Amino acid sequence: MRIRLCLAALSLAGGAGLATLSAPAASAATCSDIDVVAARGTFEPGTLGLIVGDPVFSALQKKLTGKTLSSYAVNYPADLSLTSAAQGNADLVNHVRTQSAACPNQRYILVGYSQGANVVDNSIGISSAGAVVGSPIVATLPTAVEPRVAAVLLFGNPIRALGKSVTGTYQSRTIDFCATGDPVCENGGDDVLAHLGYTADAGAAATFAAGKV
């Protein structure tokens, strides 16, 4: 019940004061220095995601002033259907694979919020099966692309409520924010509003990514 309330609150937040945030235009094509690939949360409005993706992209633009940035919004339902996260997983991997072939010098920053964190987890080989709005892995980033993933930025990551986290190849390039009491990422968490507050971490996430680029 708490999770459903949290998701409902997230949906409602799109029409509240958060709507004043500016949203970047998503672009999948040009060979920028860095492509920011963002998977939004369940029912989250915005171009890349009003609560996380859009403010993180804005913060990255300010931090990475010597680099050209493009953005891509992972194309998936971001709803409560059983295949939603799997569709996002497939789309993220397909996008990065296509971009890496077209732009051999391009690097990537992966951003995932809530269900979008499940999408990113799966894409880097960490299964979100069993987590809230999770799924089994259906695709992973090719080994050849792995060195070009500069940073992985996760927020309200549901696998953390299962006691899991990103390990292995991408661990040192990953920052994973879980607010105290967030029931989506903290087992036993009971603060629904904590799941909606990750905009405040956009600057810290951008600083972390800047140190990895």
Side-chain angles (χ1 to χ4, degrees):
M1 177 61 73
R2 281 200 297 263
I3 298 301
R4 288 188 176 276
L5 286 173
C6 192
L7 294 170
L10 176 56
S11 180
L12 290 172
L18 289 170
T20 59
L21 290 172
S22 60
S27 170
T30 60
C31 291
S32 60
D33 293 325
I34 299 169
D35 191 31
V36 179
V37 182
R40 71 195 190 281
T42 306
F43 302 135
E44 186 185 13
T47 303
L48 302 179
L50 191 65
I51 291 173
V52 168
D54 294 345
V56 167
F57 187 81
S58 179
L60 287 167
Q61 287 179 308
K62 294 172 184 175
K63 284 285 182 184
L64 302 174
T65 54
K67 305 287 186 180
T68 57
L69 270 66
S70 58
S71 65
Y72 178 76
V74 174
N75 183 15
Y76 83 116
D79 60 19
L80 298 177
S81 63
L82 295 178
T83 62
S84 178
Q87 290 179 64
N89 175 194
D91 185 73
L92 188 155
V93 170
N94 181 64
H95 169 75
V96 173
R97 184 186 289 120
T98 301
Q99 281 292 113
S100 64
C103 305
N105 296 316
Q106 190 172 61
R107 300 183 72 193
Y108 305 93
I109 294 174
L110 308 182
V111 182
Y113 167 48
S114 195
Q115 183 176 175
N118 286 337
V119 168
V120 174
D121 291 333
N122 283 10
S123 300
I124 60 175
I126 309 295
S127 177
S128 67
V132 174
V133 287
S135 78
I137 295 169
V138 297
T140 54
L141 295 175
T143 302
V145 173
E146 176 271 315
R148 294 165 60 182
V149 177
V152 178
L153 313 178
L154 303 173
F155 305 77
N157 188 356
I159 69 169
R160 290 188 55 171
L162 302 178
K164 296 176 63 176
S165 61
V166 174
T167 57
T169 301
Y170 294 93
Q171 184 174 8
S172 65
R173 285 172 272 166
T174 298
I175 190 166
D176 192 341
F177 296 92
C178 180
T180 301
D182 180 349
V184 174
C185 58
E186 180 183 293
N187 187 20
D190 60 2
D191 183 358
V192 170
L193 292 180
H195 193 62
L196 306 180
Y198 290 105
T199 300
D201 296 307
T207 298
F208 175 84
K212 301 296 182 181
V213 171

